[in-house]
């Protein structure tokens, strides 16, 4: 099994000290570094503590050494594409899951900034947290198994106002949706 702590930590923008501090109880950056490099045994107890600190499922911390994963080999900076000192695993959105279920909306016909073939990864949140989704693209369930999609522009009591993508679209009002899914990632085939 291959330990993926470093890849996940870096993908989340955390330092060794950040992860150590987020562990319950807190530990040292040196201990996290030893666990990352295999200098210290990664027990189930440590996996649980580190996974909680990284806000992921513990099984995401390891992978089979025969499994193929996409590799990050370069970063695009102001100076152009820069090679990394060493490739690292790319983490699919499902492995960076936080609170709320992940879901995917596929785009069948171009609308606004979205093109046919796009996949929009969304995270479900409770409607009482709608304020943090204002001015973000959201998917909202409507009655009879339908959905509203667009920019969340208003929230008043149980009503949410959605402005669909595309020119000339009118605001849609959804009354008391059970949840709201906020767009987090766009996957676009080339």
């Amino acid at each position: 099994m291959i330990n993926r702590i470093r890849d996940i930590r870096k993908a989340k923008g955390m330092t060794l000290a950040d992860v150590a501090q987020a562990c319950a109880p807190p530990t040292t950056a040196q201990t996290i570094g030893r666990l990352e490099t295999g200098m210290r045994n990664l027990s189930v107890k440590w996996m649980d503590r580190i996974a909680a600190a990284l806000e992921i499922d513990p099984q995401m911390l390891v992978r089979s050494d025969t499994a193929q994963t996409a590799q990050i080999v370069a970063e695009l900076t102001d100076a152009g594409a820069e090679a990394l000192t060493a490739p690292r695993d790319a983490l699919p959105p499902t492995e960076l899951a936080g609170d709320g279920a992940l879901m995917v909306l596929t785009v069948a016909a171009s609308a606004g900034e979205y093109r046919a073939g796009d996949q929009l990864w969304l995270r479900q949140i409770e409607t009482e947290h709608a304020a943090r989704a204002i001015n973000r693209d959201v998917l909202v369930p409507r009655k009879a198994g339908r959905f509203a999609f667009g920019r969340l522009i208003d929230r008043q009591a149980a009503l949410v106002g959605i402005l669909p993508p595309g020119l000339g679209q009118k605001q849609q009002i959804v009354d008391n949706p059970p949840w709201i899914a906020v767009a987090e990632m766009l996957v676009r085939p080339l």
Side-chain angles (χ1 to χ4, degrees):
M1 297 301 265
I2 295 176
N3 172 335
R4 301 174 69 199
I5 298 170
R6 176 176 288 143
D7 293 328
I8 295 169
R9 174 179 63 78
K10 286 186 174 189
K12 288 184 158 273
M14 296 176 76
T15 65
L16 289 169
D18 293 337
V19 176
Q21 217 34 53
C23 282
T27 187
T28 66
Q30 183 179 23
T31 299
I32 299 299
R34 287 180 176 162
L35 289 163
E36 277 186 359
T37 60
M39 297 287 289
R40 185 167 179 176
N41 185 32
L42 183 60
S43 66
V44 172
K45 184 177 179 180
W46 272 113
M47 284 178 63
D48 289 340
R49 286 176 67 188
I50 292 170
L54 293 171
E55 298 177 343
I56 61 167
D57 291 328
Q59 68 264 20
M60 299 301 166
L61 291 176
V62 292
R63 71 169 168 84
S64 167
D65 53 0
T66 60
Q68 293 287 69
T69 60
Q71 296 286 299
I72 300 172
V73 295
E75 290 180 331
L76 187 58
T77 67
D78 293 338
E82 308 257 344
L84 299 179
T85 54
R88 63 179 189 261
D89 287 350
L91 302 176
T94 55
E95 296 186 12
L96 297 175
D99 294 334
L102 279 174
M103 53 190 67
V104 178
L105 172 72
T106 59
V107 179
S110 296
E113 60 195 48
Y114 300 107
R115 300 180 194 155
D118 285 353
Q119 288 185 342
L120 195 59
W121 288 70
L122 307 112
R123 182 167 319 280
Q124 186 175 321
I125 64 171
E126 301 296 324
T127 53
E128 59 263 16
H129 301 298
R132 70 180 190 203
I134 292 289
N135 214 22
R136 304 256 322 262
D137 286 345
V138 297
L139 181 69
V140 179
R142 298 171 65 190
K143 296 193 183 334
R146 297 179 316 162
F147 291 93
F149 174 76
R151 188 69 41 104
L152 179 62
I153 58 173
D154 195 15
R155 164 76 188 207
Q156 292 183 12
L159 302 175
V160 293
I162 309 294
L163 185 61
L167 298 173
Q169 299 286 331
K170 294 188 179 186
Q171 178 181 353
Q172 297 177 359
I173 305 294
V174 181
D175 187 13
N176 201 23
W179 50 264
I180 296 171
V182 182
E184 288 197 351
M185 181 181 293
L186 174 66
V187 178
R188 176 170 287 160
L190 298 176

